Structure formats: C-alpha cells, structure tokens
Amino acid sequence: MSSNTKLEKLADGLKFTEGPVWHPLGFLLFSDIPANTIYKWTTDGKISIYRRPAGNPNGNTFDREGRLITAEHERRLVRTEKNGQITVLAERYQDKRLNSPNDVVVKSDGSIYFTDPPYGISKEKEELGFYGIYRLKPDKTLALLNKDMVRPNGLAFSPDEKKLYVSDSEKGHIRVFEVNSDGTLTNTRVFAELTGPKDKGVPDGMKVDVQGNIYCSGSEGVWVFSPTGQLLGKILVPEVVTNLAWGNKDYKTLYITAGQSVYRIRLLVAGVQPPKDKR
C-alpha cells in the first residue's frame, strides 16, 4: 500500500453487501443478500439491478468461460449462462440439502471450490450435520474436502494454486491447506489469527495478490498478511467488511463490500485474476 492511498466510498444505503467481483468488460457486480439482488456498479457511479431475484446471493466469481458463479443462501451453487438462464451446479450432497453456500473460487482446471456454513438458515433446516468445504469437479461430481472447520467462510488460492486459504469466522482465524494434484486438501494448519472486537468484523472474504500476500476481512477492516503469515498492515474501513475483489484493467484496485456500502482503494500490487479458458 502507498501512504497516500485513500479509501473511497462508491455506494451506500444498501442492506447487506457481499460477493464483489470485477467483470472484464469494466464493471463491478456485488450481492445484497437480504435484497435478493445482484447489483451492477459502473465507473460512472451508476448502480442497476443485474439479477433479481437472485437466491439471496452471497459470494460470486467467474469461471474460465467468464460465466458468473454464485453461492446462494437459497442453499445452492448456480451459474448464470450467457443468455441469462440459471444453471444449478450443486444443491445436495449425498441426497441431503446443502446448508448455505457462502463463498466460491474457481481453480485453473475448471473445478469450483466453495464453503457451506449454516448462515442464512435455521438449525432445524440443517440436514448434513457439518459445515464443509467442497470441490465441484470438472465432471460435475461434488466432493467433500473437509468438514472439520467450525464456520468455513471465505477462500482463496495462492498464486500457484498449491495452497488454499479458508477463513473460519467463528474461530477468528485463517487456515491454510495444501492442494494435492488431484484437487484434494491435506496438511491443514492455522495460518493467521485475527483478533479484535467481533462486532467490528471477523475473518470472512479474502483475496490474494500476485506476490502471494493475503487480504482478509477482519476486525476494523482488511488485514494484509505475507505468504509466511506475517501481518503487513491493515486497511481501516468504517463498516464491517464482508468481502473483497480485485478490479480495473490492472487489477490493482481492491473493491470492498462492507455493511450497507461498497468501497475501493488503489494498491501498488496487482491481484490474482480469475482463471481463463486457454483453449
């Protein structure tokens, strides 16, 4: 971060913002969960409805073909096709309904990783009895990778995709997993502890830059860690941060959803871009 970078508010008056993602055509999409809407923000400052109803959307990303992937509180993972139709990618594991898919990331091989804590549903509606990390394989089969975290939430790959970082909002830390060649996870450990008043933010959404630094929501803003887990600094945000996205042509702008608002800040290092289909 440069000493003269300034946090800028882009939008406010929303209900609960989440899931920002930068579209290659030059605009930002983000979720408003209770408003049941995915909004579109353009660089002229205008906000419009991108999709409504939207399954009480949470995390968003793009697949290798540029199609929007959304984790919905309506207990499913979906893809928005180029013609606007919705394809359900996952809603059950072993014939039991998912809890509440929360955040999602796409690996360069086309597989989709997502977390499934219980936020957004009552205890009585839970069918699985655990809160998992899943991988939707390229062949469309759903594999459970881990069910031992208390509240798995945000997730992000290291630049070389050999590590997967997953935040645990209840435990107040980030775990790191080694990613095996077959896409499974192993050798997990606590990567970083994020302390501070929980009413000012908890580990939630996160992103990684091209140098391997990790940016994660936490108490009072965005916490920035080196690849070795050293705290490099914090981006203070006046509302509770929920999620992050790299954007603009150079991917050096960090977009931040927080509370009822959307913010951005220019940084010196570019973020990791979503994988693209090279075929």
Side-chain angles (χ1 to χ4, degrees), residues 50 173 179:
Y50 185 78
H173 64 219
V179 183

Side-chain angles (χ1 to χ4, degrees), residues 55 61 72 86 107 109 167-168 184 218 222-224 246 267 269:
T61 193
E72 296 183 345
I86 303 301
K107 196 167 179 280
D109 66 357
S167 64
D168 191 317
T184 57
V222 179
W223 295 42
V224 186
W246 299 108
L267 300 178
V269 181

Side-chain angles (χ1 to χ4, degrees), residues 71-257:
E72 296 183 345
H73 275 321
E74 286 191 2
R75 311 179 71 175
R76 59 186 194 169
L77 185 75
V78 304
R79 181 177 67 218
T80 303
E81 306 295 348
K82 298 292 186 179
N83 63 4
Q85 290 186 333
I86 303 301
T87 298
V88 178
L89 301 176
E91 56 184 341
R92 291 181 178 273
Y93 176 71
Q94 295 185 343
D95 293 327
K96 294 182 179 180
R97 291 195 68 187
L98 296 173
N99 298 307
S100 182
N102 188 287
D103 211 350
V104 57
V105 64
V106 174
K107 196 167 179 280
S108 59
D109 66 357
S111 57
I112 302 171
Y113 290 67
F114 67 96
T115 54
D116 186 45
Y119 300 120
I121 64 169
S122 63
K123 189 71 176 178
E124 298 74 37
K125 290 184 178 180
E126 294 181 23
E127 297 181 16
L128 288 166
F130 59 83
Y131 311 130
I133 304 169
Y134 293 89
R135 175 182 182 238
L136 185 65
K137 302 177 184 179
D139 65 6
K140 307 307 178 189
T141 58
L142 185 63
L144 175 66
L145 302 178
N146 179 277
K147 61 176 183 178
D148 299 324
M149 292 184 67
V150 180
R151 289 290 188 277
N153 201 322
L155 69 175
F157 284 107
S158 60
D160 61 8
E161 297 185 333
K162 292 182 179 180
K163 295 178 181 179
L164 180 70
Y165 302 95
V166 185
S167 64
D168 191 317
S169 297
E170 182 68 26
K171 298 292 286 185
H173 64 219
I174 300 170
R175 298 196 72 86
V176 61
F177 298 82
E178 291 181 19
V179 183
N180 298 320
S181 58
D182 63 357
T184 57
L185 304 179
T186 190
N187 293 338
T188 181
R189 62 180 174 83
V190 174
F191 172 76
E193 301 274 0
L194 288 79
T195 57
K198 286 190 173 183
D199 62 346
K200 293 187 178 181
V202 295
D204 192 339
M206 73 175 93
K207 291 293 182 287
V208 174
D209 69 22
V210 294
Q211 295 180 356
N213 302 310
I214 294 90
Y215 300 66
C216 186
S217 69
S219 187
E220 299 185 325
V222 179
W223 295 42
V224 186
F225 296 94
S226 74
T228 61
Q230 176 187 359
L231 181 62
L232 301 177
K234 298 178 185 178
I235 302 170
L236 298 180
V237 181
E239 297 179 73
V240 174
V241 175
T242 58
N243 217 327
L244 316 165
W246 299 108
N248 292 24
K249 287 185 177 181
D250 58 6
Y251 274 74
K252 289 184 179 180
T253 297
L254 188 67
Y255 288 85
I256 302 168
T257 50

